[in-house]
Amino acid sequence: AQSVTQLGSHVSVSEGALVLLRCNYSSSVPPYLFWYVQYPNQGLQLLLKYTSAATLVKGINGFEAEFKKSETSFHLTKPSAHMSDAAEYFCAVSGTTSGTYKYIFGTGTRLKVLA
Amino acid sequence: ETGVTQTPRHLVMGMTNKKSLKCEQHLGHNAMYWYKQSAKKPLELMFVYSLEERVENNSVPSRFSPECPNSSHLFLHLHTLQPEDSALYLCASSPSSRGTQYFGPGTRLTVL
């Protein structure tokens, strides 16, 4: 079975500071892992994904995430926050349950960027 | 037109009304999804269609009825809804059940 846990439903950072959004997963098979972003009144859009290639994945808008199997983590980072990064971020895992692929989203982390 | 589109973007309905939400994807994907997003609740997967067959129904009340007439279109028929059904309804599609999901902008539904 798959599950994903996002630590912190709200995160605030100052403009220019490091952004770190945490995601831990569990999966009985090698997972595919995703980060999505949702801006107000919009659907989710893909930031980046891990599909068993390089463990450090670079995405759009300067975000990146590192797959750490030993820690079952896939944390999202950005070196310097911008006001336009304020949004809700969702981690997701895709794996199998009884031979059927399941796609599970985390509960989301709302990022606030302070001027 | 590209991507996933949803109509209408906003819908207000009474509890006795019948309405339908429409989703259309122009990406050639095989899987389509309906999600419900309520304030302060996790994203809830409602239905999954793969190659036009429903493959997942997560204990959704029968007042929600999905329809997938072809691989590009997905509908959610609504009848006798309750106020707690007010939410953002998101449609998504993906090339496979494991791949990236592409979301539409959602329909903001208010049930009075």
Side-chain angles (χ1 to χ4, degrees):
Chain A
Q2 292 74 239
S3 68
V4 62
T5 302
Q6 290 184 242
L7 296 174
S9 58
H10 292 81
V11 170
S12 293
V13 299
S14 298
E15 191 174 20
L18 171 71
V19 176
L20 171 60
L21 304 182
R22 299 177 186 274
C23 174
N24 288 89
Y25 72 91
S26 69
S27 178
S28 55
V29 298
Y32 284 9
L33 293 158
F34 307 81
W35 275 101
Y36 289 83
V37 61
Q38 185 179 30
Y39 298 102
N41 301 313
Q42 294 186 29
L44 283 69
Q45 65 181 83
L46 182 72
L47 268 180
L48 49 80
K49 63 180 177 182
Y50 166 78
T51 58
S52 73
T55 56
L56 182 62
V57 181
K58 293 186 185 298
I60 62 171
N61 302 338
F63 284 94
E64 62 182 38
E66 186 171 7
F67 172 69
K68 291 187 176 180
K69 185 177 178 181
S70 60
E71 299 177 9
T72 60
S73 69
F74 190 58
H75 301 331
L76 181 71
T77 60
K78 182 174 180 178
S80 176
H82 192 272
M83 298 298 288
S84 61
D85 296 325
E88 189 152 22
Y89 293 80
F90 294 88
C91 182
V93 63
S94 173
T96 59
T97 299
S98 303
T100 303
Y101 282 115
K102 290 282 187 180
Y103 213 103
I104 307 294
F105 282 90
T107 51
T109 297
R110 188 169 297 277
L111 176 66
K112 187 174 182 180
V113 181
L114 307 171
Chain B
E1 191 173 2
T2 60
V4 180
T5 58
Q6 290 186 244
T7 53
R9 292 294 309 275
H10 300 272
L11 178 63
V12 179
M13 59 188 288
M15 289 191 285
T16 58
N17 292 158
K18 288 185 181 181
K19 296 286 184 184
S20 295
L21 310 185
K22 179 182 176 182
C23 175
E24 192 169 355
Q25 58 100 358
H26 303 277
L27 301 168
H29 291 167
N30 292 325
M32 295 188 77
Y33 311 78
W34 278 118
Y35 287 89
K36 177 183 178 183
Q37 188 176 36
S38 306
K40 300 181 181 178
K41 286 180 131 181
L43 200 60
E44 299 174 52
L45 177 63
M46 300 174 73
F47 302 103
V48 180
Y49 276 81
S50 178
L51 297 172
E52 302 160 39
E53 286 193 34
R54 190 191 314 177
V55 296
E56 192 164 336
N57 175 349
N58 285 323
S59 303
V60 179
S62 58
R63 57 186 183 268
F64 294 91
S65 174
E67 179 189 3
C68 188
N70 55 61
S71 59
S72 298
H73 295 86
L74 185 65
F75 294 89
L76 188 63
H77 303 300
L78 316 170
H79 63 98
T80 59
L81 294 192
Q82 304 298 310
E84 61 263 29
D85 297 321
S86 298
L88 182 68
Y89 288 85
L90 292 165
C91 174
S93 71
S94 64
S96 70
S97 55
R98 201 177 189 193
T100 301
Q101 294 193 10
Y102 295 80
F103 284 80
T107 295
R108 174 70 62 186
L109 174 67
T110 303
V111 181
L112 301 176

